[in-house]
Each structure stands twice: as structure tokens, then as C-alpha cells.
């Protein structure tokens, strides 16, 4: 039997009054909730409509109007005559922003077809996209014709992340001839953006200075961006331009450089690895700073690819090193005029002679002269124009190294100059205190003997050699200048008696125009006489190589310093040729560069003849070599990461701490060139004769 509890429970009595009261309570609660929600909505709508009106009005406007920055035109870099060394040119270009791309591979393929990119260019674009940060624009192509530019522009809705621009790009008219001097520009890196949070750095097409003067004068050259307001559809298609604010170009930088001379000097170096510096002896203006081989800043500005990088990294002439500022070399015999001035200042009679029989015993070793047959009786002048080593071996033991080091520093060796450059390697002017401080060893007699002929611990850069030549020529404490002011430099006297300078000037003139070692350095103008000094700097001892043939890295460096006219100096020049086989590779270049200053036609005629044998200009040879690399490697060249590129650049620049070719014991200097009346020798060949002697010293350390 089932018991039904629900039937047992009595039903509640519900009257009309109870129902009415329950309904009223529910109505009040529901109405209160609805009223509260309505008040909240009204308050929120009022807040948005009144207090947030400006914000949402701007956002609504931004959906209709697109505001974009216009990259400013960089300021021009001009030479002393107003000729552009770095300028801007109208440009159609295409860039991509990686973070906005949907399918990178498909986009690259489509752009490759539309722009007719080569397989190498497509591979380079893929490499750039792999290394790029998402927000940083990557250049696809520049310098496009209107047809290809239009082909991409009409397909922009199908190419998310692709940006087309009509603007200006950086252009270097002289290309490789000014690579190290001017530097180049490129898209800002993530590190650069972290340091400078300028939104301009993220603007497609905008580039910052990466090296050289472009980097040093970045703030002056940058300018101020413009802005462009356009009305667009929901898909971003431009309907019409509303307003444009023009950009403000950067400031112009005017240099002391002579563009014609810079180009000539760079081309005249030819197939050698070296540098040329020319200074004005009246005001210290630097007229040329050519370092070759170099890189094409136009290519670097567009973004260097793996093939061009391989071409540069394979070159044992180190095209990434600025040899004017970063190259360090033993100066060889080019220091002998400086050493002679030091001896005279210390009281040495220039007419006092030393007998040269081909060598001089120092302690238990014999230091040979470059001329094993000897020079006979040698005074100071003959020691300079015949470059007799024995004379300086003997005299430095009497006068001491301290006086030589003091004069070297007075004439600019071992100094870092106040110039707008990225960096300088200052080299070494050795003396007893320096050796004790650096190596904790006492100075020895053989140290003085080596240093007095520009070997041993002595290291200089070509700019310092040019400054030394200009100070010897003028007797003034000239400071090299790179920014053109048009004002004279009020340089103080070095305190060297004029008769001392005149004596050295005449001896240096005899090097070229008298019984000296460099007759072929004479200028073709009879009314302008050149004064100079040759120098051959050993890299390894004669037991390893004769210094003139064999592997490139074992050949001697060649130096030549000079000024002209010898009696009223106006221009000073220093030429340094790495592993050129001796000074015979340097002074023909100096002769032609100095000839250009007085007779451009004669200089250009000689250069044209040389370049026909070398395979064209430096730019033409670089283009030809690149074409051969394209044929040989195609897209198979190994990819180089940005870290490897940065490391390679650092290695090329870091010369101050590199091992020095120290001749720590008795060494036989290389032979100086034998004077020859011939002026029509083949280009870039050593004029130095070999001595029939061998070294008695150990290998270079």
C-alpha cells in the first residue's frame, strides 16, 4: 500500500490580495533593475558622447583618413667646389613590411615576377626577410621604371605588406671612389631604433647613416619629415589627397675634399691595395683621402646580398678596411727626414760623416745597409737622398731614441686627430718608457737601430704620414681639416729653425731631382720640382721572402711622402701601398697624383693608358668581378648573417691591436729603388732593384 504524502499536506490558501501583493513586489524589483541598467547605459552613452567625443572623433576620422610620414631628403655632402659627393635622386621604389605580410613566399614570388627580379635578387630578398625584424621595412627594389612600379601599385590589394613609394634615394656619383670617405646609408636596425625611438626610423624608404661621414653627421643630414593626409576606403585604397606638409631637407655638409682629385687618386691606385692622402700646406685642408679597394656605397645602401658579400670577403686586399685611418704600417725610410730634424735639434752637425761599408756592427751582430756595397762617406743630406741606413744606425746610438720620439710626436706620428670620422688607429711611436710600460723590458740598442729606419715597433697610418710631410714642408703645427670653412688656419710654428727645414727640403728634393733614389717620381713640369722620400717596410724577414715576389701577404709595404714645389711647398702627399713589393709601387702613384694638381690633362692621359691595361676603372672592374661571381656561384653562395657581417667589419677596422711586424734583432733592410731616368715603366710594378744580400737576422715576430 502506497502512502501519498502530497495528499496528506494541506493546500495553502491563496487569495486575490496575496496574488496582488506578490505581483507588485516583483514589478518593483524588475522595474528597479531595468531602471538601473537604463541609467548605466545613459551615463555611459553620455560619457562617450561628451567626455570621449574627441577621442572617438579622431578614431572615426582615422578610418576615413590615412596619415603617413614623408621621409625627409638627406642633406647633400659637397666637395670644396660644390660638387656633390652624396646627393639624392628621384626614385620609384618598392618595400615590404614583414609583420604585415600574410604569405612571404607567395609575395616574394609575385614581386619577383612583377619586377623581373633575377634569381640572385630573389634569394637576397628572402635572406633579408629572414633576418629582418617584423616592424622594420625591407627594400625590394629601387630605381624602378614607371611600368614596373605601376605593375606593383595596381596589385597592392593582393599584396598585403607591400609598400610602393615615389620619393628620393641616396646616390653617390663617384661610387667606389668615395666608399670609405663618405660611408653609406641603410635601414635602421633594431638596436638603432631602441636608442632613438623616432617613428621616422620605421618609415619605409627612410635610411640612416651607417658608416663614414654619413654616420658622423646623421643629425645634421637627417632633416625633418613631412606628412600626407589621404582619404581611403575600408580596404585602404586611396580616394583622394587631402593635405600634404612638405618635408624639410637636412643640412648640407661641405668638405675640404677635391672631388676630381679624390676620384683620380682612387682610380690611380689601380689594382694595388693602398691609400693616398693629399693636404694643403697653407691651411691643413685634406684634399683627398682615398682608400682602395673599396665598396660601392650605392650597393650597400640598397642592402648588400650574399654574392656581393662573398666577393668582398674573398678579397685579400681587405676592401672593408679604411686604410687611411685604420691601416697601420712600419713607415720604413720615410721617417729619415724626421729623424734628421731630431738630430739637428739635438745639436748634431749635418756635415759630420759616417763611413758606410754596407753594414755596421752593433754589439755582436751586424746591421746591414740596403746597399751591401756601401755608400762610402755619408753626411746627413746623403743619408736622406741615398737613404743610407748605416748613417742613422750610427747617429742614433749617439743621440738616443728619446729625441727621435719627441720629434715624431711633434710632427704628428702616433696622434689621433680631431676629425669627423668614425675612428682612427693611432699606431705606435716607440721609446724606452713606452717599451718598459708595455712589455716590462728595457730598451735595447737594436731597438733604436730598428726604429731609426722606421722598422721595429714603429707603426703609423697614412694620414699621420701626410701630416708629417705637411709639417716638414711648412714648419707649422698644421691640424688636418675635413670640413670646409674657407678660413685660414692660424697654425703656430713648430719651433724648428728655418735653416734646419731648408736643409731637409733640399735633401728631399735631391731624392727626386738629384742623386737620389726616386728619379722616376719627378713631375713632368720643369718649373715644379717635387721633394720626397721613399720607404720600404718589411713584413717578413728575407729568410721567408724577398719581399717583392711570392704570396701577397709576404711582400713589403711601399711608402712615399712628398711635397711640391720643394722650395715653396703648397701641397703634401703620402702614399702607402700594402704588400706592393716596396716603394717602387708607391712613388709613381704620388707623382701622377701631384701632377693632377698642376696638369690635369697630362695626368688623365697617363691614367687612361693604365686603366686600359687594368681592365677599366675601379667601378668597371668591380662590376666585371661581380658578373663573374654571378656566373660562378649564382644563388649557391653561402648566406652570411648580420652577426658575421658585423664581425667582419670589426675585424677589418681593428688594426691597433693586431700583431706588429717587429724586427727584434739585426735585420737587413730591403733595397731602395735604383734611380732610373725612365719615366714610362709599366704601371704598378716595383722599380726597386734587388740587393745581392741575405738577411742575417731571425724571422719577423
Amino acid at each position: 500500500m502506497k502512502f501519498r504524502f502530497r495528499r496528506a499536506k494541506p493546500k495553502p490558501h491563496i487569495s486575490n490580495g496575496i496574488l496582488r501583493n506578490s505581483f507588485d513586489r516583483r514589478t518593483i524589483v524588475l522595474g528597479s533593475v531595468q531602471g538601473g541598467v537604463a541609467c548605466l547605459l545613459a551615463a555611459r552613452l553620455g560619457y562617450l558622447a561628451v567626455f570621449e567625443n574627441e577621442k572617438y572623433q579622431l578614431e572615426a576620422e582615422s578610418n576615413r583618413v590615412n596619415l603617413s610620414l614623408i621621409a625627409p631628403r638627406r642633406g647633400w655632402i659637397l666637395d670644396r667646389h660644390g660638387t656633390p659627393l652624396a646627393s639624392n635622386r628621384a626614385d620609384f621604389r618598392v618595400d615590404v613590411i614583414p609583420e604585415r605580410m600574410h604569405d612571404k613566399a607567395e609575395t616574394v614570388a609575385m614581386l619577383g615576377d612583377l619586377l623581373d627580379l633575377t634569381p640572385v635578387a630573389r634569394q637576397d630578398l628572402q635572406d633579408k626577410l629572414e633576418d629582418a625584424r617584423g616592424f622594420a621595412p625591407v627594400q625590394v627594389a629601387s630605381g624602378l621604371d614607371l611600368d614596373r612600379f605601376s605593375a606593383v601599385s595596381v596589385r597592392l590589394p593582393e599584396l598585403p605588406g607591400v609598400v610602393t613609394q615615389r620619393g628620393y634615394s641616396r646616390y653617390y656619383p663617384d661610387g667606389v671612389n668615395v666608399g670609405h670617405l663618405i660611408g653609406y646609408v641603410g635601414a635602421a636596425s633594431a638596436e638603432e631604433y631602441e636608442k632613438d625611438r623616432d617613428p621616422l626610423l620605421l618609415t619605409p624608404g627612410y635610411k640612416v647613416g651607417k658608416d663614414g661621414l654619413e654616420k658622423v653627421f646623421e643629425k645634421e643630414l637627417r632633416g625633418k619629415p613631412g606628412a600626407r593626409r589621404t582619404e581611403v576606403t575600408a580596404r585602404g585604397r586611396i580616394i583622394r589627397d587631402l593635405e600634404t606638409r612638405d618635408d624639410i631637407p637636412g643640412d648640407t655638409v661641405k668638405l675640404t675634399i677635391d672631388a676630381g682629385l679624390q676620384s683620380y687618386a682612387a682610380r690611380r691606385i689601380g689594382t694595388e691595395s693602398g691609400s693616398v692622402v693629399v693636404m694643403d700646406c697653407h691651411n691643413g685642408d685634406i684634399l683627398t683621402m682615398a682608400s682602395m679597394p673599396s665598396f660601392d656605397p650605392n650597393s650597400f645602401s640598397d642592402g648588400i646580398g650574399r654574392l656581393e658579400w662573398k666577393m668582398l670577403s674573398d678579397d685579400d686586399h681587405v676592401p672593408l678596411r679604411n686604410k687611411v685611418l685604420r691601416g697601420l704600417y712600419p713607415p720604413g725610410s720615410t721617417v729619415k727626414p724626421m729623424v734628421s730634424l731630431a738630430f739637428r735639434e739635438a745639436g748634431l752637425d749635418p756635415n759630420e760623416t759616417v763611413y758606410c761599408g754596407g753594414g755596421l756592427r752593433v754589439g755582436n751582430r751586424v746591421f746591414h745597409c740596403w746597399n751591401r756595397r756601401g755608400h762610402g762617406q755619408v753626411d746627413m743630406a746623403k743619408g736622406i737622398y741615398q737613404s743610407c741606413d748605416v748613417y742613422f744606425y750610427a747617429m742614433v746610438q749617439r743621440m738616443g731614441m728619446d729625441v727621435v720620439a719627441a720629434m715624431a710626436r711633434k710632427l704628428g706620428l702616433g696622434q689621433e686627430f680631431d676629425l669627423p670620422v668614425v675612428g682612427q688607429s693611432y699606431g705606435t711611436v716607440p721609446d724606452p718608457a713606452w717599451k718598459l710600460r708595455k712589455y716590462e723590458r728595457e730598451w735595447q740598442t737594436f731597438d733604436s737601430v730598428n726604429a731609426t729606419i722606421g722598422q721595429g715597433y714603429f707603426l703609423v697610418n697614412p694620414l699621420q704620414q701626410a701630416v708629417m710631410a705637411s709639417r716638414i714642408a711648412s714648419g707649422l703645427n698644421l691640424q688636418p681639416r675635413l670640413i670646409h670653412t674657407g678660413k685660414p688656419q692660424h697654425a703656430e710654428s713648430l719651433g724648428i729653425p728655418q735653416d734646419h727645414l731648408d736643409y731637409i727640403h733640399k735633401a728631399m728634393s735631391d731624392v727626386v731631382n738629384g742623386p737620389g733614389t726616386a728619379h722616376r717620381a719627378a713631375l713632368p713640369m720643369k718649373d715644379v720640382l717635387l721633394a720626397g722620400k721613399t720607404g720600404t717596410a718589411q713584413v717578413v724577414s728575407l729568410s721567408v721572402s724577398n719581399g717583392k715576389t711570392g704570396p701577397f701577404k709576404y711582400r713589403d709595404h711601399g711608402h712615399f711622402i712628398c711635397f711640391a714645389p720643394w722650395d715653396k711647398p703648397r701641397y703634401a702627399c703620402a702614399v702607402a701601398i700594402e704588400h706592393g713589393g716596396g716603394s717602387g709601387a708607391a712613388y709613381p702613384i704620388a707623382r701622377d697624383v701631384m701632377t693632377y694638381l698642376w696638369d690635369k690633362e697630362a695626368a688623365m692621359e697617363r691614367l687612361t693608358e693604365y686603366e686600359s691595361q687594368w681592365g677599366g676603372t675601379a667601378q668597371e672592374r668591380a662590376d666585371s668581378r661581380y658578373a663573374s661571381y654571378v656566373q660562378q656561384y649564382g644563388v649557391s653562395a653561402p648566406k652570411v648573417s648580420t652577426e658575421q657581417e658585423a664581425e667582419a667589419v670589426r675585424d677589418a677596422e681593428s688594426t691597433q691591436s693586431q700583431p706588429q711586424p717587429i724586427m727584434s734583432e739585426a735585420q737587413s733592410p730591403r733595397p731602395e729603388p735604383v734611380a732610373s731616368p725612365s719615366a714610362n715603366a709599366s704601371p704598378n710594378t716595383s722599380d726597386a732593384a734587388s740587393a745581392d744580400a741575405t738577411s742575417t737576422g731571425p724571422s719577423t715576430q
Side-chain angles (χ1 to χ4, degrees), residues 105-128:
E106 182 181 349
T107 301
V108 169
M110 186 176 293
L111 287 174
D113 294 337
L114 293 174
L115 299 175
D116 195 22
L117 298 180
T118 65
V120 173
R122 297 189 190 205
Q123 183 62 57
D124 288 340
L125 176 57
Q126 291 176 353
D127 292 343
K128 294 176 188 176

Side-chain angles (χ1 to χ4, degrees), residues 336 339-340 343 383-384 388-396 452-453:
K336 289 176 179 176
V339 174
S340 298
F343 288 167
I384 294 174
C388 177
D389 300 306
V390 168
Y391 175 85
F392 293 94
Y393 293 158
M395 292 306 180
V396 76
T452 197
I453 61 168

Side-chain angles (χ1 to χ4, degrees), residues 175-186:
V176 295
N177 298 333
V178 297
H180 287 298
L181 172 66
I182 303 299
Y184 63 98
V185 296

Side-chain angles (χ1 to χ4, degrees), residues 401 404-406 408-409 413-415 427-431 434 457-460:
M401 187 61 199
V404 175
R409 296 187 182 100
L413 303 186
Q415 289 189 17
T428 301
V429 175
D431 59 23
W434 171 86
Y457 296 104
F458 233 131
L459 286 176
V460 301

Side-chain angles (χ1 to χ4, degrees), residues 281 341 408-413 415 417 466-480 494 496 501 505 572:
C281 295
L341 282 174
R409 296 187 182 100
K410 181 184 290 188
L411 295 183
L413 303 186
Q415 289 189 17
F417 303 106
V467 172
M468 177 177 69
S470 68
R471 292 182 181 180
I472 290 175
S474 65
L476 301 176
N477 187 30
L478 290 172
Q479 298 296 324
L494 290 169
I496 302 174
L501 294 171
H505 292 178

Side-chain angles (χ1 to χ4, degrees), residues 381-548:
K382 187 175 181 180
I384 294 174
Y385 65 70
Q386 282 292 317
S387 200
C388 177
D389 300 306
V390 168
Y391 175 85
F392 293 94
Y393 293 158
M395 292 306 180
V396 76
Q397 295 181 69
R398 288 173 48 187
M399 312 307 296
M401 187 61 199
D402 285 327
V403 299
V404 175
M407 180 59 70
R409 296 187 182 100
K410 181 184 290 188
L411 295 183
L413 303 186
Q415 289 189 17
E416 196 170 359
F417 303 106
D418 184 17
L419 291 172
V421 295
V422 175
Q424 303 173 56
S425 296
Y426 49 83
T428 301
V429 175
D431 59 23
W434 171 86
K435 184 178 180 182
L436 186 63
R437 183 173 61 252
K438 185 172 181 64
Y439 295 106
E440 298 183 353
R441 284 187 280 176
E442 296 292 335
W443 187 265
Q444 302 297 325
T445 303
F446 63 74
D447 290 324
S448 296
V449 170
N450 279 322
T452 197
I453 61 168
Q455 292 283 176
Y457 296 104
F458 233 131
L459 286 176
V460 301
N461 68 39
L463 175 61
Q464 293 169 349
Q465 288 182 294
V467 172
M468 177 177 69
S470 68
R471 292 182 181 180
I472 290 175
S474 65
L476 301 176
N477 187 30
L478 290 172
Q479 298 296 324
R481 301 194 303 188
L482 200 51
I483 301 303
H484 187 270
T485 62
K487 300 178 181 178
Q489 182 179 150
H490 300 292
E492 298 180 355
S493 171
L494 290 169
I496 302 174
Q498 189 60 45
D499 62 316
H500 293 190
L501 294 171
D502 292 341
Y503 185 92
I504 300 301
H505 292 178
K506 182 61 171 66
M508 292 179 69
S509 175
D510 286 342
V511 170
V512 179
N513 310 298
T517 58
H519 284 173
R520 289 183 54 210
L523 301 181
M525 298 81 66
K526 294 183 179 180
D527 56 336
V528 181
L529 298 182
L530 185 77
K533 183 68 191 80
T534 56
T536 297
Q538 289 176 256
V539 176
V540 295
S541 74
L542 283 168
S543 62
V544 177
S545 169
N546 66 5
K548 304 189 181 305

Side-chain angles (χ1 to χ4, degrees), residues 62-264:
S62 68
N63 289 331
R64 183 183 68 90
V65 177
N66 182 29
L67 178 64
S68 58
L69 290 177
I70 299 175
R73 289 160 288 176
R74 288 182 72 82
W76 286 24
I77 301 178
L78 307 177
D79 85 330
R80 64 188 303 109
H81 305 300
T83 302
L85 296 171
S87 60
N88 305 309
R89 61 181 177 183
D91 187 23
F92 290 114
R93 57 181 295 118
V94 175
D95 299 281
V96 294
I97 301 177
E99 68 178 6
R100 300 180 187 174
M101 299 172 67
H102 294 168
D103 188 330
K104 293 183 179 180
E106 182 181 349
T107 301
V108 169
M110 186 176 293
L111 287 174
D113 294 337
L114 293 174
L115 299 175
D116 195 22
L117 298 180
T118 65
V120 173
R122 297 189 190 205
Q123 183 62 57
D124 288 340
L125 176 57
Q126 291 176 353
D127 292 343
K128 294 176 188 176
L129 290 174
E130 289 176 6
D131 295 335
R133 299 291 182 95
F135 57 81
V138 173
Q139 178 173 304
V140 177
S142 64
L144 298 172
D145 55 54
L146 184 58
D147 290 340
R148 289 189 293 170
F149 179 78
S150 300
V152 177
S153 297
V154 298
R155 289 173 173 82
L156 285 181
E158 307 168 31
L159 297 168
V162 176
V163 180
T164 57
Q165 284 195 334
R166 291 170 290 179
Y168 295 88
S169 63
R170 203 60 161 165
Y171 176 61
Y172 304 93
D174 282 333
V176 295
N177 298 333
V178 297
H180 287 298
L181 172 66
I182 303 299
Y184 63 98
V185 296
S189 65
E191 292 75 16
E192 288 168 328
Y193 180 69
E194 289 297 327
K195 293 179 181 178
D196 184 2
R197 288 281 184 171
D198 190 340
L200 178 62
L201 301 185
L202 304 181
T203 302
Y206 180 74
K207 297 180 179 180
V208 299
K210 293 288 188 176
D211 193 21
L213 295 173
E214 291 278 23
K215 182 176 182 179
V216 174
F217 290 106
E218 170 61 26
K219 291 184 178 180
E220 291 81 359
L221 295 171
R222 178 176 293 188
K224 296 182 179 179
R228 180 188 181 198
R229 294 177 70 244
T230 55
E231 187 174 358
V232 295
T233 65
R235 297 187 62 183
R237 183 181 295 276
I238 296 176
I239 298 176
R240 60 192 175 104
D241 287 334
L242 298 178
E243 182 183 0
T244 301
R245 185 188 69 199
D246 292 335
D247 64 297
I248 301 177
D251 297 332
T252 298
V253 175
K254 190 173 185 179
L255 307 180
T256 61
I257 296 294
D258 183 318
L261 183 64
Q262 173 76 20
S263 177
Y264 183 88

